[in-house]
Amino acid sequence: MSANNFNEIRVFDDAVDNMDIIKTIIDTENQENGFYIVDIGDIIIKHREWITKIPRVVPHYAVKCNPDPTVIKILAALNAGFDCASEQEIRQVMQYNVQANRIIFANPYKCPSHIKYAKKMDINQMTVDSELELLKIKDFYPEAKIIIRIQCDANNTTCNLGLKFGCESDKEAVRLIRLTIDLGLSLHGFSFHVGSPCGELNAFSRGIDTCRRLIKIAKTMGCKDVQLIDIGGGFPGEKGTNIDKLANLINDAIQDLDPSIRIVSEPGRYYVTSAFTLATYLHSKRLSYKNGKLMRMYYVNIADE
Ligand SMILES: Cc1ncc(COP(=O)(O)O)c(C=O)c1O
């Protein structure tokens, strides 16, 4: 266990309870700032669980979910891949000797300078969901490996990512395959994200089936190098949740895919939700009445100075 006070790290024995760690820190340091307790072992267990239960799907940690250097260092050492959304995230991950082929630039809306940086660093796998992005990549990185992101929202999810990202998975996806070919770019595969967290497990099988269908179409249109399915994130990460049901469902959905197809994922919350506990300093309380009802307001300090 480590308690992270932004700039300072203290290490505690694994047997010590989170509440005892919080009390120790508050008692010994007159602590008024918020801090995290990070269970490093929990991140390692999550990674082992993934590679044991869903061995064909290579996880690429979604850095945006929690870019804490400790998380990146551990996952880099465990040989995980990374989903980076910006130049800054690529820089952060590459500090720890992560090779370019372990990184997917999984943001369908990239700044030109970030695309140029990816090119400089040889990070060639990148997602797109629009014609404009394909044209941009043609200008700045024509050797990139294109991954077309389709919409595949779960029927039940808190954060519905299809509103922001992904093309419609029939006509629009085929139009983007056609444009990729016409621009002389290389189509590498298809990706989706079911939303976060995913409340409808079948969304994963739906997404995998759609990608399988699109790969077949792309091959008949002449894309020889299409070979990747990226099943995104949306996996639960809370303490006590287990991914057995989801793992079985995904393993079933991919079992008869051609072995030449590489399958990856972009879990974020899965890796870090149960590992991080935020301790905040509740310094003040206000009582007031609204429409005759007592309201309590609590003021907390979670920021560094
Ligand atoms: C492209 C992409 N991949 C992966 C993730 C991580 O999702 P989750 O934390 O649900 O696994 C996100 C989250 O917003 C995302 O936008």
Side-chain angles (χ1 to χ4, degrees):
M1 296 255 189
S2 87
N4 188 349
N5 180 7
F6 298 98
N7 302 316
E8 186 197 315
I9 291 182
R10 287 181 56 183
V11 178
F12 291 82
D13 192 281
D14 205 28
V16 185
D17 184 62
N18 274 357
M19 276 317 282
D20 291 332
I21 294 177
I22 291 169
K23 281 180 195 148
T24 308
I25 290 172
I26 293 170
D27 288 350
T28 56
E29 298 186 14
N30 192 22
Q31 181 77 26
E32 282 196 354
N33 293 323
F35 57 92
Y36 279 107
I37 299 173
V38 188
D39 186 346
I40 290 166
D42 194 78
I43 300 172
I44 298 171
I45 290 168
K46 286 278 181 65
H47 186 66
R48 293 216 176 112
E49 185 188 30
W50 185 290
I51 55 179
T52 311
K53 292 182 176 169
I54 325 177
R56 195 175 159 189
V57 181
V58 181
H60 289 59
Y61 172 63
V63 175
K64 66 177 79 66
C65 191
N66 183 335
D68 188 292
T70 313
V71 179
I72 313 278
K73 269 190 235 175
I74 293 166
L75 291 174
L78 292 172
N79 225 12
F82 291 88
D83 149 8
C84 296
S86 63
E87 175 178 339
Q88 164 63 24
E89 289 185 4
I90 294 172
R91 280 184 192 279
Q92 204 187 343
V93 163
M94 290 193 105
Q95 279 179 62
Y96 303 111
N97 296 326
V98 174
Q99 308 89 321
N101 63 2
R102 285 165 60 193
I103 297 175
I104 296 175
F105 198 170
N107 181 348
Y109 298 92
K110 298 173 276 299
C111 287
S113 63
H114 296 204
I115 298 175
K116 287 186 204 160
Y117 183 73
K119 177 172 172 152
K120 186 171 146 207
M121 303 316 286
D122 230 5
I123 291 160
N124 53 15
Q125 307 177 85
M126 49 188 67
T127 58
V128 300
D129 65 3
S130 68
E131 292 180 11
L132 281 178
E133 193 70 12
L134 278 175
L135 294 170
K136 216 192 284 167
I137 292 174
K138 169 74 181 171
D139 281 349
F140 299 113
Y141 195 179
E143 309 81 12
K145 294 179 171 178
I146 305 294
I147 302 167
I148 295 178
R149 178 161 166 178
I150 56 164
Q151 284 165 356
C152 182
D153 283 323
N155 292 333
N156 175 10
T157 173
T158 315
C159 178
N160 198 319
L161 290 170
L163 290 172
K164 276 163 67 183
F165 303 117
C167 67
E168 176 275 318
S169 60
D170 287 313
K171 286 196 184 128
E172 204 181 343
V174 174
R175 222 181 42 239
L176 291 179
I177 298 173
R178 169 52 51 207
L179 184 60
T180 306
I181 298 169
D182 291 349
L183 291 171
L185 299 171
S186 169
L187 182 63
H188 192 53
F190 296 91
S191 73
F192 62 88
H193 193 303
V194 293
S196 190
C198 175
E200 185 226 356
L201 303 192
N202 280 333
F204 282 100
S205 0
R206 243 191 349 263
I208 291 166
D209 283 350
T210 308
C211 291
R212 182 206 305 260
R213 178 175 58 77
L214 288 169
I215 287 178
K216 216 166 145 192
I217 294 173
K219 285 204 162 150
T220 60
M221 290 168 74
C223 301
K224 290 190 303 290
D225 299 327
V226 62
Q227 57 180 255
L228 181 96
I229 295 180
D230 177 348
I231 67 170
F235 306 88
E238 290 79 11
K239 238 180 207 36
T241 48
N242 92 37
I243 57 163
D244 289 4
K245 223 166 142 188
L246 196 44
N248 290 340
L249 187 136
I250 291 169
N251 290 334
D252 283 352
I254 61 178
Q255 68 174 345
D256 57 354
L257 276 178
D258 191 294
S260 65
I261 293 180
R262 207 160 58 85
I263 309 166
V264 300
S265 61
E266 301 164 0
R269 289 172 170 81
Y270 168 76
Y271 274 110
V272 287
T273 306
S274 54
F276 277 73
T277 303
L278 174 63
T280 62
Y281 183 72
L282 194 166
H283 55 80
S284 310
K285 178 175 150 185
R286 172 186 161 92
L287 297 178
S288 64
Y289 286 88
K290 191 176 176 191
N291 301 331
K293 253 179 129 179
L294 175 65
M295 311 244 308
R296 290 185 186 84
M297 293 178 197
Y298 296 99
Y299 294 80
V300 295
N301 183 11
I302 58 166
D304 200 1
E305 283 168 341

